[in-house]
Amino acid sequence: MVRKKGPVWKHFQIINNGNSSHPHVRCKYCSKEFKRAIPERMQDHLDKKKCQELNNTGSQSRQQNIIDNSDNCLSEEEQKSLETLLSKVLPSSFKLPNREVVKMHINDNRDSTFSGIRHLGYCYQHGIEIEKNEIKAFELYKEAAEKGDIDSIYQLGYYYQHGIGTEINKTKAFELYKLAADNDHIISIYNLGKCYENGIGTEYNKIKAFELYEKAADKGHVISIYKLGQCHEDGIGTDINEIKAFELYKEASDKGHLDSLYQLGECYYYGIGIEKNEIKAFESYEEAAKKGHIISIYKLGQWYENGIGTDINKINAFEFYSKAAGKGHIDSMYKLGLCYKFETGTEKNEIKAFELFEKAADKGHLNSIYELGCCYKYGKGTKKNKTKANNLFEKAAEKDHLDSICELEYCHLLEIGTKGKAFKLLVKAAEEGHLGSIYQLGCYNKYGIKNRIKAFKLFEKASGKGHLDSIYELGCCYQNGEGTDKDEFEAFELFEKAAEKGHLDSIYQLGECYNYAIGTETDEIKAFKLYKEAAEKGHIDSIYQLGEFYNYGIGTEEDWIKAVELYDEAAEKGHLDSMYEIGCRFKGSWTAFWNFQDAAEGGHLDSIYELGCCYQNGEGTDKDEFEAFELFKKAAEKGHLDSIQKLVYCYKYGEGTEKNEIKAFELFEKAAKKYHLESIYQLGICYQNGTGTEKNEIKAFELFEKAANKEHLNSIHELGCCYKYGKGTKKNEIKAFELFEKATEKCHHNSTHQLGICYQNGTGTEKNEIKAFEFFKKAAEKGHLDSIYKLGCCYLLGIGVKGNKLKAFELFVKATEKGHLDSIYQLGCYYKSETEVEKNKIEAFELFEKAAEKGHLDSIHELGCCYKYGIGTIKNEIKALELFEKAAKESYRDSIYELGFYYIFGIGTEKNEIKAFELFEKAAGKDHIDSMYQLGECYYYGIGTEKNEIKAFESYRKAADRGHLNAKAILSFMYI
């Protein structure tokens, strides 16, 4: 297979042996040739040699120009002024004896006319003591050149070559350089060599180029000495002679040429013309760096970072990168950004890293564009912005930056389309075997266009060549049966393979396998160790999962403090589940509120729901039912079933919105269709009670049965009630008992209570008061109020346990404190009667009043009796009558009987014997013994009805049979 050529190759022209892995190539910018192409050296040339060579050439050409254009044909004052001006414009980094040369040329006796015109052109060129005007400078150089001034001929060639003050004319430039070179103008000889080397204004001629560099070098031109070294190193116009190249670099460096000093370091490092010696290479870079050579400063940073030619010193590396970056060196800006990103020689600072990547990216540095994209993608040093990230990756991808191509998200690839350049490059790179591109193409197919089979094949191809991300994704495919048959054992092996090579997602996933028995047996200790390993390397999901293990004591000892620390660490990294978990651990506090709020802003549905609960209950914030409603609505619209439930209650009870039972019913119906068991149950309640729909006990029964078959406890209980009372189905007390028993086994406290009632009354089973007591006690211990009350009744009446009125009292007090109405009533009865506690009629009255206000019938009746007899309050027959009437309307027997007495004697109302008779008759029909006796009296004496001794006898007999003493006494006389 043909080996893939990376991005560096596009900057070189293949001269021959194109099919070879290492063909003969030439740089497109400077015609440097490599007879055996090695990408590392080619990249080094692009990054270091070409740019510094061109910069150096330009600067030294300008310097030589300044030198050669100096003249002695000025006044002494003008000579001093010119010397000062020239010294100012000479770069301070130029290490040749510039000032001496300037003086030499100032003292050079040449034609004063030519030199004066040339000097004036130079002033216009650089804006010395006059406004800069390159066109005027061009005209002056041209005038002097036409009069035979050699320096001006050179300068004119330079202007034509670079289009200064005129249009570019490389042919004209070549001709002028040649004319000046023929007159031994050193810079022109050098520039003419460049023209032949690079085909500027003439045909390529490497041999002539070499001869010209050699000629200028012989005349002491330092850059030409350096350039001659390059010719010998790369075989430009001559045979390769690395020893000669080394000697020339050394000669130029001894004359202060910094690029040659740097190149000397390269020779020592690569063994070019000299034995490889990293220590000497380091010393050469160090010497050049001390003199301000930027690339050498950068190189020192690299060597200190990697320990080449010196000991590893990350701090020194950081300092050198920082120094070079400060001088505008782009690669150093990038490396400095990496130092801040990975804590190399300095503290981690993602904001500074971001700023440096941004600065270098603005200058077109591809790796920095890529890193900047990563900053936006993962929110490092800036806010997450996937759009900006993808735009940056796309920008670098268009320049063949493969890492950027691979970072383009599948969703962005979908957006830019398969016809986009980035996508085409991705496909091309994948076809050429670039593993990252094959992987990314797999992700595009898996998550983008949903072609799982193709995705599987691509992951399989890349994983076969050891690509870790692909091995992981292939494991996921086998685990979930995506694009292939499900095979958890194969998935486990793949995760294990990638985990062994340090792939964090695979280490985490392997932990999941051991935790949930995916392709292996459950091993919580191994799972814990794997989560810990990945967490220590910063894997956010593992940090969260480790928190879960410490929280619940899975695979390690329970440590709630450690769990919270881990949740907090993951939450700070933006992990939404961790924010939610912290919120849950501190429910009711402002900490919970803020964590739910942060996670909710990230779209975490459970947190949106919990935030709604915070506003609903005023936990960690002010109560705001309207805000709660909006949050429940937001989550409900995204299918969050618990939020649908809450929204239902809002509509049902008018919390944060108008009461709308129909809307509540519709929401229950919507969630029930999604098989949400609680909603199926609640829908049954709606049908049972006719809430938001017509009452339909049969549908209610069917819904309870549907949810009960899925083990929904409330529905099992409610189904038992349907069978117990015959609601929506035939009454079946045995079936009811079985359902209560089933739910009790799953700790459903209402069913435990009902099971106690079944045993107490013998409903669906044999009567067993001891078991009844046990079940009431079991539910009471879990806080079930009705069971606490029933337990009190057991102790009060000795049901299934020895009677203990004091214990009963304590239980009624406990339930009363939680608002249990029957217990409030019983407590009132304790205080009303002299039992095991001190009699307190006022306390009794207040307790009856409290329960009566909430509609408790027994208490309403007892409150009426308090007003009737003046117990704990002032006697008030009218209030007593009102209370008896209120309870009587609810068919309360004792109140019906009392109301009859009030009407028969006209107490608190007008006397009405007919009404009294009707009331006694109604209460007697409910087996009220005193009312049976009073009904007999009415028939016997004709009170409110016609006199009828037969009916009177029957009523007395019914009352006597039930133990009424007066009725028995009267019957004894009637039998005589």
Side-chain angles (χ1 to χ4, degrees), residues 828-855:
C829 293
Y830 262 81
Y831 284 115
K832 180 181 176 184
S833 308
E834 290 186 29
T835 53
E836 302 297 317
V837 297
E838 187 177 343
K839 192 171 186 178
N840 189 332
K841 292 181 179 179
I842 294 172
E843 184 70 22
F845 171 81
E846 290 174 353
L847 286 164
F848 292 141
E849 188 176 42
K850 182 179 180 180
E853 286 172 354
K854 295 184 183 294

Side-chain angles (χ1 to χ4, degrees), residues 634-804:
K634 182 179 179 180
E637 287 171 352
K638 294 184 178 180
H640 191 264
L641 296 177
D642 287 336
S643 295
I644 293 173
Q645 281 282 99
K646 280 289 186 180
L647 200 60
V648 166
Y649 289 119
C650 290
Y651 281 119
K652 188 174 181 180
Y653 301 108
E655 293 181 3
T657 187
E658 290 184 5
K659 188 174 181 178
N660 190 332
E661 290 183 345
I662 294 171
K663 186 72 175 176
F665 172 81
E666 289 171 352
L667 285 165
F668 277 139
E669 196 170 38
K670 180 181 177 181
K673 287 177 181 177
K674 295 182 178 181
Y675 302 101
H676 187 255
L677 296 181
E678 181 64 21
S679 295
I680 294 170
Y681 162 74
Q682 289 292 347
L683 196 62
I685 297 292
C686 288
Y687 277 116
Q688 189 177 65
N689 301 322
T691 306
T693 187
E694 289 184 7
K695 188 171 182 176
N696 190 327
E697 291 184 344
I698 294 172
K699 278 192 176 181
F701 171 81
E702 290 171 352
L703 288 161
F704 294 142
E705 188 175 42
K706 182 179 180 180
N709 288 338
K710 299 287 185 182
E711 304 301 315
H712 187 263
L713 287 184
N714 283 338
S715 296
I716 294 170
H717 171 77
E718 205 59 50
L719 195 64
C721 293
C722 288
Y723 279 115
K724 182 178 179 180
Y725 302 109
K727 291 182 178 180
T729 188
K730 287 183 179 181
K731 190 172 183 178
N732 188 332
E733 293 180 343
I734 295 172
K735 187 71 174 174
F737 175 83
E738 290 171 352
L739 287 162
F740 293 142
E741 193 172 39
K742 180 180 179 180
T744 296
E745 289 171 357
K746 297 178 183 292
C747 300
H748 191 271
H749 306 318
N750 282 340
S751 292
T752 305
H753 174 74
Q754 281 293 336
L755 205 59
I757 293 173
C758 287
Y759 277 116
Q760 182 182 1
N761 302 322
T763 305
T765 187
E766 289 185 5
K767 187 172 182 176
N768 189 326
E769 292 184 343
I770 294 173
K771 281 193 174 182
F773 171 81
E774 289 172 353
F775 281 108
F776 290 142
K777 186 180 179 184
K778 183 179 179 180
E781 287 171 351
K782 299 294 183 182
H784 192 270
L785 288 183
D786 285 338
S787 293
I788 294 171
Y789 166 73
K790 274 290 187 181
L791 197 62
C793 293
C794 288
Y795 279 113
L796 179 64
L797 305 171
I799 301 170
V801 68
K802 186 178 179 180
N804 187 332

Side-chain angles (χ1 to χ4, degrees), residues 234-253:
D234 302 321
I236 301 171
T238 186
D239 293 332
I240 289 176
N241 188 334
E242 292 183 344
I243 294 172
K244 185 67 176 173
F246 174 81
E247 291 171 352
L248 287 161
Y249 290 142
K250 191 171 188 312
E251 181 185 346
S253 66

